[in-house]
Amino acid sequence: MAIRLGDTAPNFTAETTEGIIDFYDWKGDAWAVLFSHPKDFTPVCTTELGRVAALRKDFAKRNTKVIGLSVDPLDSHMNWMRDIEDVTGHALNFPLIADVNRKVSDLYDMIHPNANDTLTVRSVFVISPDNKVKLTLTYPASTGRNFDELLRVIDSLQLTANYAVATPADWKPGQDVIIASSLSDEDARKRFPGFNAKKPYLRVVPQPGEVQTTR
Ligand code: BEZ
């Protein structure tokens, strides 16, 4: 069954390039990104895994752990890791699940028969410290993901988890944000004195809290 926003992310045990992992134990109370790849030794996937390895510090700064998945076996992953480092200059520094029996792929609905009934699509799940699914993305095999965008979304998710705000189109950390519509004007005045009401339903304030720098 499809995983929806707000669902509890299913737990699993899986063989990975860093040993057997129990997802919940590995994740602890951090945020997590679980992302799938159609197949080992494929060009777009190779660039994606190198890019995520390069962003290690950026994910760590956001208390976010990253775990990849591909349906090929562990020995294939181990050989592919050499290519990833060779091509991108970045050694894999996060676990890659060898989901040979498709247990995790099925659990997270990563195989879409309309795309290919044996390979996972490019799924992304962002999971919060309380193990709730906060973001799902599905890309086709032919389009590599934008991991700067993923960091931007994590910044928005972490900000909106802590403050009664939402982030507007194309928002970047440090830019103005929108007061949540659940907040009355009276409460908004207390929490965000001097807000700018562009419309009664569009109340803008400078971003509260710490401003993340991407790198
Ligand atoms: C790729 O990663 O390049 C890829 C994977 C599966 C199908 C097409 C492209």
Side-chain angles (χ1 to χ4, degrees):
M1 209 174 85
I3 303 260
R4 296 176 187 230
L5 299 188
D7 285 353
T8 298
N11 194 25
F12 57 83
T13 305
E15 189 177 40
T16 81
T17 49
E18 297 186 5
I20 305 269
I21 279 180
D22 172 282
F23 181 60
Y24 280 7
D25 286 350
W26 167 84
K27 177 184 169 295
D29 58 7
W31 289 72
V33 172
L34 166 64
F35 68 127
S36 59
H37 299 271
K39 203 171 163 36
D40 290 6
F41 297 101
T42 48
V44 177
C45 298
T46 302
T47 63
E48 286 191 324
L49 288 169
R51 176 71 181 138
V52 172
L55 292 172
R56 180 193 180 93
K57 284 192 184 142
D58 301 286
F59 285 107
K61 222 190 303 183
R62 291 160 175 85
N63 187 30
T64 301
K65 293 183 165 184
V66 177
I67 187 163
L69 175 149
S70 162
V71 292
D72 286 316
L74 198 57
D75 59 340
S76 164
H77 284 8
M78 293 300 192
N79 289 329
W80 187 27
M81 279 167 70
R82 283 195 281 275
D83 280 7
I84 293 166
E85 183 170 9
D86 185 29
V87 169
T88 68
H90 297 282
L92 218 63
N93 46 28
F94 54 89
L96 183 59
I97 297 168
D99 195 32
V100 182
N101 57 15
R102 319 234 156 137
K103 189 174 87 179
V104 182
S105 312
D106 285 341
L107 203 54
Y108 279 80
D109 198 28
M110 291 165 166
I111 293 181
H112 292 198
N114 290 345
N116 183 311
D117 60 7
T118 56
L119 306 181
T120 45
V121 287
R122 290 187 202 286
S123 299
V124 185
F125 300 90
V126 177
I127 300 163
S128 57
D130 60 354
N131 295 335
K132 298 291 180 201
V133 174
K134 295 295 182 184
L135 170 105
T136 65
L137 280 175
T138 307
Y139 275 47
S142 50
T143 303
R145 287 160 283 200
N146 182 328
F147 293 97
D148 288 325
E149 167 62 1
L150 189 57
L151 290 172
R152 189 193 76 88
V153 176
I154 292 169
D155 287 336
S156 172
L157 287 169
Q158 294 184 344
L159 179 72
T160 58
N162 289 320
Y163 298 93
V165 298
T167 59
D170 299 332
W171 173 83
K172 290 200 179 73
Q175 295 179 345
D176 288 354
V177 299
I178 296 165
I179 298 174
S181 42
S182 55
L183 226 58
S184 67
D185 276 349
E186 191 187 344
D187 285 341
R189 266 190 292 274
K190 283 186 204 142
R191 289 203 215 175
F192 304 106
F195 66 78
N196 173 10
K198 291 179 183 278
K199 293 284 175 193
Y201 56 85
L202 177 48
R203 301 166 297 177
V204 174
V205 280
Q207 184 209 304
E210 189 192 342
V211 174
Q212 276 292 1
T213 46
T214 304
R215 60 186 65 86

